[in-house]
């Protein structure tokens, strides 16, 4: 534990970290990739064909194939306008602080096919930032070229190229944190987790080549580089979240997936390696992420759908320097360990209940991880929702509404349950549960 | 021909004729609806005129293959002489679609479970 004289500096760091954590929580509320009505209009399919809950986000095996195919499937009835809109009104009730009701987010999706081989997904997002102002930013991007219906060794094979701005966002299984937007929020985290401080999500650009062999074997490899801070600024991002300069970055993914119509399972591994300078004028850290993920879906006749996913990512860091922070020398190596377990039950693709358990742990570092030196953070997300439309037999199958009640629960933050910021005597202390938040949201997409 | 011989001939003809008649596929349409939801519904709607990646299956039994208005069929299916009788559907759906109709756009590996297939076809017969 730090000497008392150094805790003030650490407390200031934690205040900014808290802001980052709460911002990351907003990702969970509205930032998840949802069913895109433009795709429904393009394919003639209902939202519920690709998503277990008709509003999304969890993909069915059919939705995975649509994504793998570069968003190019069509009902053959000519060109459709590849635009969709989403508006979200949120009532937020944090455990500490004022409640608020705002039009929290507006999204424009440019999503659809250009040709049989070229399609994409681009999201432009306007987030409420208070005082009736909104920040507009370029959110997720995934542009694809695909070559379908090839044969290798007599087996169906698909090849594709994806240009995207978040490693893992384009993953077909969509269990990786960048695709599900379900990653532990905390004072640190892996590069593959978009909820980590200074994450890569939407601030990098890269290309990956992928292949699906015999409908079951998926492989992908590619590279990324971070956008210059000036471009991040132009695209709507605060440069305080810059992921730093990346060199020698490689991303790889391999997975086996099996669609048995009434059931589905997958097992995969993922890796990312890079040399990162953060700040950009600073020394270079060697970072390696290695992870695995397991998923299972019971789909049956779609009346009762159960989906399970577990993701485990270990990040190894060799720091390029050991700075003295607050009088404490930082360590030269460290590990960060992100784990996410999600269970979702969906009834008639209309009512859903999701429970997610997040655990972020890592090696102790008094200089880098605040007063306790312990980054361990444990959180839960519980969400209950109703999505009445978007099915073949509903009022409309190509537009949708979602009402959701969501509860975030912190049971541990920065290694502590109580007094997480080491409040001086006589001042208000903050416990982990004070970060809890409850929200009710209404979203429409058309 | 004696009367008894005629009787035996008639009996033979009756039995032989009965054997030559295709066996009735007694499926459970309600169970077939569940099979449809897991095997077919992503690409086919049952509402009249509603085409998805595949054509509407409203009125499929008894319909000429490749005949739904407004759906862009493959040449292979447009040129097919088939009518979707229950027997033709059984033959088509019990094997990979690209084997049954080379050149088709339909991607389907076939339904191995005979009971599920009978149930599915019984459900398709109700779509009128």
């Amino acid at each position: 534990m730090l000497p008392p004289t150094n805790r003030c500096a650490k407390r200031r760091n934690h205040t900014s970290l808290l802001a980052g954590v709460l911002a990351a929580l907003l990702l969970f509320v509205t930032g998840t990739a949802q069913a895109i009505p433009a795709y429904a209009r393009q394919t003639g399919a209902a939202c519920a064909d690709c998503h277990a809950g008709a509003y999304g986000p969890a993909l069915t095996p059919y939705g995975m194939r649509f994504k793998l195919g570069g968003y190019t499937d069509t009902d053959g009835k000519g060109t459709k306008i590849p635009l969709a809109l989403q508006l979200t009104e949120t009532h937020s009730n944090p455990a500490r602080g004022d409640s608020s009701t705002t039009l929290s987010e507006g999204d424009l999706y440019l999503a659809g096919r250009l040709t049989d081989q070229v399609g994409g997904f681009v999201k432009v997002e306007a987030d409420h930032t208070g005082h009736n102002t909104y920040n507009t930013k370029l959110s997720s991007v995934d542009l694809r070229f695909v070559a379908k219906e090839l044969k290798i060794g007599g087996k169906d094979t698909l090849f594709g190229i994806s240009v995207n701005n978040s490693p893992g966002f384009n993953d077909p299984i969509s269990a990786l944190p960048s695709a599900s937007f379900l990653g532990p929020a905390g004072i640190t985290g892996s590069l593959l987790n978009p909820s980590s401080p200074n994450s890569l999500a939407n601030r990098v650009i890269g290309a990956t080549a992928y292949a699906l062999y015999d409908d079951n074997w998926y492989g992908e490899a590619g590279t990324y580089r971070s956008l210059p801070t000036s471009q991040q600024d132009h695209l709507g991002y605060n440069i305080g979240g810059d992921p730093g300069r990346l060199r020698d970055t490689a991303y790889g993914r391999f997975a086996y997936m099996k669609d048995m119509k009434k059931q589905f399972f997958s097992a995969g591994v993922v890796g990312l390696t890079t040399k990162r300078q953060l700040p950009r004028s600073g020394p270079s850290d060697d970072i390696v992420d290695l992870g695995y993920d397991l998923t299972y879906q019971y789909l049956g006749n779609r009346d009762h759908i159960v989906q399970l996913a577990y993701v485990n990512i270990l990040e190894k860091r060799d720091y390029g320097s050991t700075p003295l922070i607050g009088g404490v020398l930082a360590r030269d190596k460290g590990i960060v360990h992100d784990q996410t377990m999600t269970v979702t039950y969906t009834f008639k693709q209309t009512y859903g209940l999701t429970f997610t358990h997040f655990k972020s742990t890592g090696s102790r570092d008094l200089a880098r991880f605040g007063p306790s030196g312990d980054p361990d953070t444990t959180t839960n997300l519980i969400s209950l929702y109703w999505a009445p439309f978007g099915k073949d037999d509903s009022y409309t199958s190509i537009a949708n509404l979602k009402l959701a009640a969501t509860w975030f629960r912190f049971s541990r933050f920065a290694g502590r349950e109580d007094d997480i910021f080491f409040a001086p005597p006589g001042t208000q202390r903050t416990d982990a549960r004070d970060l809890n938040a409850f929200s009710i949201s209404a979203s429409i997409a058309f | 021909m004696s009367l008894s011989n005629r009787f035996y001939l008639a009996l033979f003809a009756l039995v032989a004729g009965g054997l030559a008649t295709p066996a009735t596929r007694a499926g459970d349409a309600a169970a077939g609806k569940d099979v449809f939801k897991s095997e077919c519904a992503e690409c086919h709607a049952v509402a009249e005129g509603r085409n998805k990646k595949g054509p509407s299956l409203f009125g499929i039994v008894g319909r000429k293959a490749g005949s739904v208005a407004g759906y862009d069929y493959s040449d292979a299916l447009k040129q097919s002489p088939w009518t979707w009788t229950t027997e033709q559907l059984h033959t088509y759906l019990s094997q990979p679609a690209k084997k049954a109709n080379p050149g088709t756009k339909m991607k389907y590996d076939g339904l191995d479970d005979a009971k599920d297939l009978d149930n599915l076809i019984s459900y398709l017969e109700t779509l009128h």
Side-chain angles (χ1 to χ4, degrees):
Chain A
M1 186 175 292
L2 279 177
T5 50
N6 294 327
R7 286 188 183 156
C8 287
K10 293 296 167 191
R11 204 171 295 121
R12 282 193 296 274
N13 286 342
H14 258 172
T15 304
S16 61
L17 284 168
L18 177 60
V21 169
L22 294 177
L25 289 178
L26 289 174
L27 276 173
F28 298 129
V29 178
T30 55
T32 51
Q34 308 288 6
I36 309 299
Y39 290 145
R41 289 188 282 272
Q42 171 183 304
T43 61
C47 306
D49 290 332
C50 287
H51 299 275
Y55 203 92
L59 291 177
T60 62
Y62 183 78
M64 295 175 198
R65 289 196 294 275
F66 177 70
K67 192 174 180 182
L68 275 165
Y71 316 101
T72 60
D73 285 352
T74 171
D75 63 359
K77 291 183 184 171
T79 302
K80 309 288 172 52
I81 298 172
L83 288 174
L85 290 168
Q86 175 180 250
L87 298 172
T88 301
E89 176 95 4
T90 303
H91 173 76
S92 180
N93 183 20
R96 180 177 289 180
D98 297 330
S99 297
S100 62
T101 302
T102 59
L103 181 62
S104 55
E105 184 176 329
D107 304 307
L108 172 69
Y109 296 93
L110 181 62
R113 60 179 254 132
L114 286 177
T115 70
D116 273 343
Q117 284 79 39
V118 179
F121 173 99
V122 178
K123 178 181 177 183
V124 178
E125 176 178 331
D127 298 322
H128 185 259
T129 52
H131 308 292
N132 294 322
T133 58
Y134 288 82
N135 178 58
T136 303
K137 62 186 182 185
L138 179 65
S139 183
S140 303
V141 173
D142 180 16
L143 306 175
R144 303 223 189 187
F145 168 82
V146 289
K148 294 180 268 192
E149 302 198 15
L150 305 176
K151 292 280 186 186
I152 292 182
K155 303 290 186 183
D156 288 342
T157 306
L158 177 150
F159 282 108
I161 302 287
S162 167
V163 175
N164 63 79
N165 63 354
S166 183
F169 174 75
N170 60 323
D171 193 64
I173 300 168
S174 297
L176 299 180
S178 293
S180 66
F181 286 86
L182 294 174
I187 62 173
T188 187
S190 69
L191 284 181
L192 287 170
N193 175 6
S195 299
S196 302
N198 301 95
S199 77
L200 307 188
N202 305 343
R203 295 169 182 265
V204 298
I205 187 73
T208 62
Y210 66 93
L212 180 71
Y213 177 71
D214 196 20
D215 294 331
N216 299 134
W217 299 96
Y218 178 77
E220 181 184 1
T223 187
Y224 291 84
R225 59 173 295 178
S226 53
L227 297 172
T229 51
S230 58
Q231 283 187 16
Q232 292 179 41
D233 183 41
H234 291 151
L235 294 175
Y237 291 91
N238 186 325
I239 60 172
D242 176 30
R245 179 176 285 115
L246 305 180
R247 286 185 298 115
D248 303 336
T249 305
Y251 172 82
R253 171 81 164 133
F254 184 75
Y256 177 79
M257 59 182 95
K258 184 71 175 174
D259 178 11
M260 296 167 287
K261 301 291 184 181
K262 293 178 183 171
Q263 298 180 80
F264 171 90
F265 78 87
S266 70
V269 292
V270 63
L272 177 79
T273 178
T274 192
K275 297 181 189 304
R276 168 157 93 165
Q277 288 173 267
L278 181 67
R280 289 180 177 237
S281 58
S284 178
D285 303 331
D286 288 345
I287 301 177
V288 177
D289 283 16
L290 284 173
Y292 67 90
D293 59 295
L294 302 166
T295 75
Y296 170 80
Q297 297 189 28
Y298 173 77
L299 297 147
N301 65 3
R302 276 53 173 177
D303 280 355
H304 304 276
I305 298 177
V306 177
Q307 296 171 301
L308 309 171
Y310 174 70
V311 182
N312 186 323
I313 297 170
L314 183 71
E315 181 169 287
K316 181 173 171 291
R317 299 174 178 174
D318 284 331
Y319 295 111
S321 68
T322 55
L324 195 65
I325 302 174
V328 178
L329 194 63
R331 302 179 70 169
D332 63 344
K333 295 181 189 303
I335 60 164
V336 169
H337 194 185
D338 288 339
Q339 297 177 79
T340 303
M341 186 194 73
T342 304
V343 181
T344 299
Y345 169 71
T346 309
F347 178 60
K348 290 188 178 294
Q349 301 195 272
T350 300
Y351 307 91
L353 177 64
T354 295
F355 174 82
T356 306
H357 181 71
F358 302 101
K359 192 169 184 180
S360 173
T361 57
S363 50
R364 288 175 60 83
D365 191 326
L366 282 168
R368 300 181 198 276
F369 299 143
S372 72
D374 185 347
D376 294 5
T377 297
T378 305
T379 51
N380 295 118
L381 165 69
I382 301 163
S383 183
L384 183 67
Y385 67 83
W386 175 58
F389 307 127
K391 286 144 280 182
D392 272 344
D393 56 356
S394 55
Y395 173 71
T396 174
S397 62
I398 57 172
N400 218 331
L401 163 72
K402 180 180 183 179
L403 301 180
T406 304
W407 185 38
F408 297 106
R409 177 178 171 271
F410 280 78
S411 51
R412 178 177 284 263
F413 184 85
R416 293 166 67 88
E417 295 177 11
D418 302 318
D419 194 14
I420 57 177
F421 299 140
F422 293 87
T427 63
Q428 185 182 34
R429 73 178 204 174
T430 302
D431 299 332
R433 61 181 171 274
D434 291 325
L435 304 179
N436 294 353
F438 178 76
S439 66
I440 296 174
S441 61
S443 302
I444 55 171
F446 51 91
Chain B
M1 187 179 289
S2 68
L3 188 62
S4 60
N5 283 348
R6 281 185 202 159
F7 172 76
Y8 286 122
L9 188 61
L11 185 62
F12 173 78
L14 188 65
V15 171
L19 289 175
T21 303
T24 303
R25 301 189 187 284
D28 177 347
K33 185 175 183 179
D34 284 347
V35 178
F36 177 86
K37 285 180 180 177
S38 60
E39 297 282 333
C40 318
E42 290 156 340
C43 295
H44 296 279
V46 297
E48 187 173 13
R50 168 99 194 272
N51 298 327
K52 299 167 89 170
K53 194 173 175 182
S56 168
L57 296 185
F58 180 83
I60 178 69
V61 176
R63 187 168 82 198
K64 185 180 180 318
S67 65
V68 168
Y71 183 75
D72 182 23
Y73 288 96
S74 64
D75 290 342
L77 205 61
K78 274 191 280 195
Q79 292 163 9
S80 156
W82 296 340
T83 293
W84 293 122
T85 62
T86 55
E87 284 309 303
Q88 185 63 58
L89 284 166
H90 193 278
T91 302
Y92 185 72
L93 295 175
S94 60
Q95 58 185 314
K98 291 191 186 303
K99 183 179 173 189
N101 182 220
T104 184
K105 294 189 332 191
M106 182 162 155
K107 280 198 74 177
Y108 187 58
D109 293 335
L111 191 53
D112 295 332
D113 189 305
K115 187 177 177 188
D116 279 353
L117 184 52
D118 287 345
N119 291 342
L120 173 63
I121 291 172
S122 292
Y123 172 66
L124 294 178
E125 285 186 282
T126 69
L127 302 177
H128 288 282

